[in-house]
Amino acid sequence: MAKIFQVTARAGMTRVVEPVARGLLRAGVSPNAVTVTGTVGVLVGALGFGARGHLVAGALIVTVFALTDLLDGTMARMSGGSTRFGAFLDSSMDRIADSAVFGAVAYWLATEHEYSGVAAALLCLAAGGLVSYVKARAEGLGMTCNVGIAERTERLLIVGVGGLLTGLGVDPALEIALWLLAAVSIFTVGQRMAHVYRQAQLVGRE
């Protein structure tokens, strides 16, 4: 059910993103430029606003610029496909942005003496890195790993909603969101490792 929701939501977003992607390509903007711009925007939202306790502004800025992850991919597809460097740049910028988001959240929670939330944020950072690493390592070994309930978009959405609600006065929302995200991220790592294990077993029998 979760995967069906993800596919449907992404299909809806694609219909919105495609006209913007065409316009940027006609203006001579490259997918790589959009990738870097999106990352800079996330850094501004996370470090410039979120880390200072401006959670509503930070969450909104991060969400807007995180959507460039769909935009640059659409632009690359429309212009003939992603280059190797483009794929490398996109993945690297994603890791930088994710580190900034969860690092900023952990820093702000520490200033508020919410140490349980700090632990959750650091766990999300570590587990999120593992989610991406497991997939990249599997694909590097020639296997697929397109499974999991907590991919990058979902992770940013969960922490964004938590930050927005906390900024609006629902105090425990961010900490609850972080622990929920930590749980689903760890579960996703397990899903992906099990998926790769089954593929490896099949290859070993051939």
Side-chain angles (χ1 to χ4, degrees):
M1 183 63 71
K3 202 66 177 178
I4 293 173
F5 174 77
Q6 290 172 17
V7 171
T8 302
R10 286 176 184 271
M13 285 300 302
T14 297
R15 286 193 290 271
V16 175
V17 167
E18 283 185 348
V20 179
R22 290 193 189 94
L24 290 172
L25 288 171
R26 282 196 295 268
V29 179
S30 70
N32 289 347
V34 172
T35 298
V36 174
T37 300
T39 301
V40 171
V42 170
L43 292 176
V44 170
L47 303 178
F49 290 86
R52 296 165 60 194
H54 304 299
L55 301 184
V56 174
L60 292 176
I61 293 170
V62 167
T63 298
V64 168
F65 281 97
L67 290 176
T68 59
D69 203 39
L70 292 175
L71 183 58
D72 58 9
T74 302
M75 290 173 66
R77 176 173 55 80
M78 288 180 170
S79 60
S82 176
T83 64
R84 288 187 176 183
F85 177 74
F88 168 79
L89 179 67
D90 184 63
S91 180
S92 299
M93 292 295 103
D94 285 352
R95 302 292 78 74
I96 292 172
D98 291 355
S99 297
V101 168
F102 291 103
V105 168
Y107 174 81
W108 179 74
L109 287 169
T111 65
E112 296 294 307
H113 307 293
E114 298 288 347
Y115 298 116
S116 175
V118 173
L122 295 177
L123 186 56
C124 287
L125 179 58
L130 276 174
V131 168
S132 301
Y133 173 79
V134 169
K135 180 177 181 178
R137 183 60 176 151
E139 291 176 345
L141 293 171
M143 291 178 279
T144 63
C145 198
N146 295 317
V147 298
I149 62 173
E151 296 185 7
R152 182 172 186 263
T153 302
E154 288 73 31
R155 295 198 302 272
L156 290 179
L157 180 61
I158 291 172
V159 72
V161 169
L164 184 61
L165 290 175
T166 295
L168 293 174
V170 186
D171 288 338
L174 180 56
E175 185 173 345
I176 291 171
L178 288 169
W179 281 113
L180 172 63
L181 178 55
V184 297
S185 296
I186 292 170
F187 183 75
T188 298
V189 172
Q191 278 185 299
R192 291 187 167 181
M193 292 184 72
H195 182 71
V196 172
Y197 174 78
R198 287 192 293 270
Q199 289 179 78
Q201 291 295 99
L202 290 173
V203 171
R205 292 171 187 166
E206 293 178 353

